[in-house]
Amino acid sequence: MPMNAAETLLSVGDDRRAALECGDSSLTYSGLRDAVRRAAGAWRTLGLETGDRVLVHASDGIDWVIAYLGVIWAGGVAVGLNPRLFEKDLSIVLADCGARFVFCDSSGVATLQRVLRDEVAPPCIVTQSEARALWSTARPVPAEPRPAESPALWFYTSGTTGIPKGVIHAQRAVTETASFAKTVLGVDERARLYASSKLFFAYALGNALCAGLRLGATVILDPEWPTAERVAQVAERHRPTVLFSVPTLYLKLLQAGLTGRLARAGVRHFVSAGEALPGTVRRLWKDATGIAPVSGYGASETIALVLYCDDDSGLLSPSPMVDLRLRDGTTETGQAPQRIWLRHPSVALGYWGRPQAQSDSFADGWFSPGDLFRRVGEAWEFCGRDDDMLKISGQWVSVLEIEQSLVASTSGSVQQLAAVGYNSSEGLGSIALFAVPAVGREAEARTRVEAGIAALPKIKRPRLVKWIDEMPVTATGKLQRGKLKDLYLVHEVA
C-alpha cells in the first residue's frame, strides 16, 4: 500500500502539543505539519523530482527537521550528514550519493563551495536563510504517496571499519520506531525525548526524533555539540523525561559530578547505545541517580534499537517486533560467538553501490550486523566484532571483556580505555591496552590499571600499555580501533 514516511511521522501528535523544542524556539504539531507541507512545496518549486536525494548538512534544530521531512514529503530521499565532516570525507560522500540539492546553514557554505568547485554538475546549495524565505511563500502540497519499499532516507555508516557506506531505508522504516520507547520504557505522548547524539546519527534520529513524533510526544533538539556540561544545561532548561546518550558521555557526566543536575531536571529514563555499556558505569549511574540506564543495541541499518538489557546481567533480549536467529541456523546455547540475523520493520533495504557488502549483510528482509553474539539461554551476549575476538595461545579472548574488567577496577580514574589485538615482533598474538587518564588523576590511574591487569588471568593480560591524550573516534563517537593500531602500534609489529 502506498505511504509517505514523513506523513506517517506527523499523523499522530495533537495539534496544540509542542512537537519540537530548541533553545528559545518551539513548534507545535500543527505548526510542524504546515511547515513541512510548505517545505515540500518549496523543494518542488526548486525542481526536486521523485527519488532525488537531498543532503541535509547543518546543525540540529527545527529548520533541520523541516527541511529533512519536507524532502520526504515531496517524494525525495533525505540524507542527514555530519556538518563537521572533514573536506576529504565530505567530498567522498557527495560523490557517492549523487545528491541533487544540499541544505546547509551559513557556516557550511564555504566548505561546500570548496569541495564542489571542480564538479561538472554540482548539487544546488540551499542555505538555511534561503530556505526560510522560500518556506514563507511556498504553497503547501500534499504528501507524495510512494511504495512502502521505496527509499525515503539514507544514513552514512560511521566508518569504523573503512569508507562509510550509504544505508538505504524504505518508507516503512519509520512505522515502528516508537515500539522500543513505548513498550520497553513505557512512555507515551507526555514524554519529552532528548538525544545527546546528533540527528545525522541513526540512534538519535530513529529513537528520539522518529519515535517521539510517532508517539505524538515532544522532541528536544540542540545545535551545540554535546559535552557533559552542555547535556546538563539542556536537561535543566527543557526538562526531558527520556535521555538517549552514549557510554562515554555517561562516564563523563559521572566524572564531572553532574548526575544530580539530570535527576533534578526530571529525567526518568536513561538509555545508552552506540557501544557496549560497561557494567561498572551502569552501577555507578544507578548509585548516583537511583535509575539504571537501559542498554540498547542498534545500527545505521536498523534505525531502531533492536536488542536491549535492563538489568545487571549485561545480556541482551530482542526488542519488540524483532525476530532473531543465529547466522548458521543453530539454536544451541554456549557455542562460539557468531553473527546473527535480525528482522524488524525498520531494517534497511541495503547499501548504495556496494553489492558485495549487500549480499553479506542483507537477505530477504533480514540484516546481519558485523558484530558477534553468543546465545545464553533465551538471551544474547554481545561479543564485539570479528576483530574484537583474539586468539591468544590457542584460546579465544574478547577485548570487550578485558576492557570491562579493567574499567571496573579504575574507579573513575580513567576517562577512556580500549584493548586491541596485534601481532608482536615475535609474531605472537598479543593484546595492547590504551588508556586516557582522568584530569588530575594520572598517577592513580596508572596504579589502578596496573593492579587491574595483574588481577586478570594471564592469557588476558595486555602485553603493552600506552597512555594517550585522546581516543580516535568517528563523528558519532565510536572508537576506531584500527586507527589506534595505525597511530601507536606500527613500531611494535615486526
Side-chain angles (χ1 to χ4, degrees):
M1 178 180 294
M3 64 173 293
N4 182 285
E7 185 178 39
T8 299
L9 288 172
L10 296 178
S11 64
V12 178
D14 182 274
D15 280 352
R16 295 165 295 178
R17 186 181 296 278
L20 306 173
E21 291 184 6
C22 183
D24 294 329
S25 301
S26 66
L27 192 62
T28 64
Y29 273 92
S30 176
L32 180 57
R33 291 183 186 106
D34 181 65
V36 169
R37 291 187 187 106
R38 291 181 182 277
W43 285 121
R44 291 276 187 82
T45 299
L46 289 170
L48 179 74
E49 297 180 0
T50 301
D52 283 346
R53 291 175 289 283
V54 179
L55 279 178
V56 179
H57 182 258
S59 300
D60 285 10
I62 292 174
D63 286 349
W64 193 105
V65 177
I66 293 170
Y68 189 93
L69 294 183
V71 169
I72 301 172
W73 190 281
V77 178
V79 187
L81 199 62
N82 177 13
R84 291 190 171 191
L85 274 182
F86 292 120
E87 290 187 19
K88 178 181 177 182
D89 297 324
L90 179 58
S91 178
I92 290 171
V93 170
L94 282 164
D96 183 69
C97 75
R100 178 90 181 276
F101 299 93
V102 181
F103 171 85
C104 70
D105 47 32
S106 58
S107 62
V109 174
T111 300
L112 283 164
Q113 289 175 337
R114 285 194 298 272
V115 169
L116 296 170
R117 63 189 171 194
D118 296 326
E119 293 294 320
V120 176
C124 174
I125 297 175
V126 181
T127 66
Q128 186 175 15
S129 58
E130 291 169 340
R132 284 178 174 176
L134 288 168
W135 298 343
S136 68
T137 59
R139 179 178 61 87
V141 299
E144 176 74 15
R146 303 286 292 132
E149 293 298 312
S150 66
L153 56 98
W154 287 16
F155 294 103
Y156 270 88
T157 60
S158 55
T160 55
T161 57
I163 296 174
K165 299 185 288 290
V167 181
I168 307 169
H169 279 281
Q171 304 287 334
R172 46 93 177 147
V174 304
T175 57
E176 295 298 336
T177 48
S179 59
F180 177 87
K182 184 163 53 177
T183 305
V184 176
L185 303 181
V187 300
D188 56 22
E189 71 275 5
R190 296 167 294 180
R192 297 172 60 80
L193 288 74
Y194 166 46
S196 63
S197 302
K198 301 288 109 180
L199 290 174
F200 67 83
F201 189 15
Y203 176 33
L205 188 132
N207 296 280
L209 180 63
C210 292
L213 295 180
R214 286 294 285 154
L215 287 169
T218 300
V219 180
I220 297 160
L221 306 171
D222 182 31
E224 300 296 325
W225 213 251
T227 63
E229 176 62 30
R230 182 65 182 182
V231 169
Q233 290 173 356
V234 171
E236 289 172 329
R237 181 172 190 173
H238 293 278
R239 302 189 67 81
T241 56
V242 183
L243 171 64
F244 295 92
S245 195
V246 296
T248 300
L249 199 42
Y250 279 119
L251 180 58
K252 288 181 178 179
L253 285 160
L254 282 164
Q255 292 172 333
L258 299 175
T259 54
R261 290 168 62 180
L262 293 175
R264 289 189 294 272
V267 184
R268 297 197 294 272
H269 303 278
F270 298 98
V271 181
S272 176
E275 57 186 332
L277 177 68
T280 301
V281 174
R282 186 178 195 273
R283 289 190 292 273
L284 289 172
W285 193 269
K286 184 177 181 180
D287 290 343
T289 66
I291 305 170
V294 176
S295 179
Y297 174 89
S300 299
E301 294 86 348
T302 68
I303 303 183
L305 294 175
V306 289
L307 298 167
Y308 74 97
C309 175
D310 61 358
D311 59 30
D312 291 333
S313 71
L315 299 177
L316 299 163
S317 299
S319 297
M321 304 189 71
V322 172
D323 296 321
L324 188 153
R325 57 183 170 85
L326 290 167
R327 188 158 167 129
D328 70 357
T330 61
T331 58
E332 293 84 0
T333 64
Q335 300 299 307
Q338 60 175 285
R339 290 173 65 183
I340 58 175
W341 286 105
L342 295 161
R343 184 169 61 184
H344 183 270
S346 68
V347 163
L349 294 167
Y351 298 123
W352 173 254
R354 301 288 187 91
Q356 184 172 347
Q358 170 99 6
S359 62
D360 179 62
S361 298
F362 292 92
D364 301 323
W366 293 75
F367 166 63
S368 180
D371 296 312
L372 302 177
F373 295 83
R374 179 187 288 112
R375 186 167 181 174
V376 181
E378 296 301 315
W380 301 83
E381 179 186 2
F382 175 68
C383 300
R385 300 189 68 85
D386 286 330
D387 52 5
D388 293 339
M389 295 297 296
L390 312 175
K391 207 159 195 179
I392 308 293
S393 300
Q395 298 183 49
W396 288 107
V397 174
S398 167
V399 297
L400 295 181
E401 182 184 346
I402 293 170
E403 290 172 1
Q404 296 207 5
S405 295
L406 293 176
V407 166
S409 69
T410 60
S411 297
S413 62
V414 173
Q415 287 188 39
Q416 292 175 285
L417 183 149
V420 300
Y422 73 103
N423 287 328
S424 68
S425 56
E426 297 88 0
L428 299 175
S430 305
I431 302 166
L433 181 72
F434 299 89
V436 180
V439 177
R441 301 178 67 178
E442 291 82 1
E444 178 191 354
R446 290 176 182 271
T447 299
R448 288 187 175 277
V449 167
E450 289 173 4
I453 291 173
L456 289 171
K458 187 174 181 180
I459 195 173
K460 297 180 181 180
R461 294 175 190 168
R463 176 171 177 169
L464 183 69
V465 179
K466 287 185 176 286
W467 292 90
I468 59 178
D469 294 330
E470 62 179 358
M471 295 285 182
V473 296
T474 68
T476 57
K478 291 185 178 180
L479 175 67
Q480 294 179 302
R481 295 183 193 273
K483 278 196 174 182
L484 276 175
K485 293 182 181 182
D486 294 341
L487 289 170
Y488 300 108
L489 290 181
V490 63
H491 300 299
E492 307 296 334
V493 181

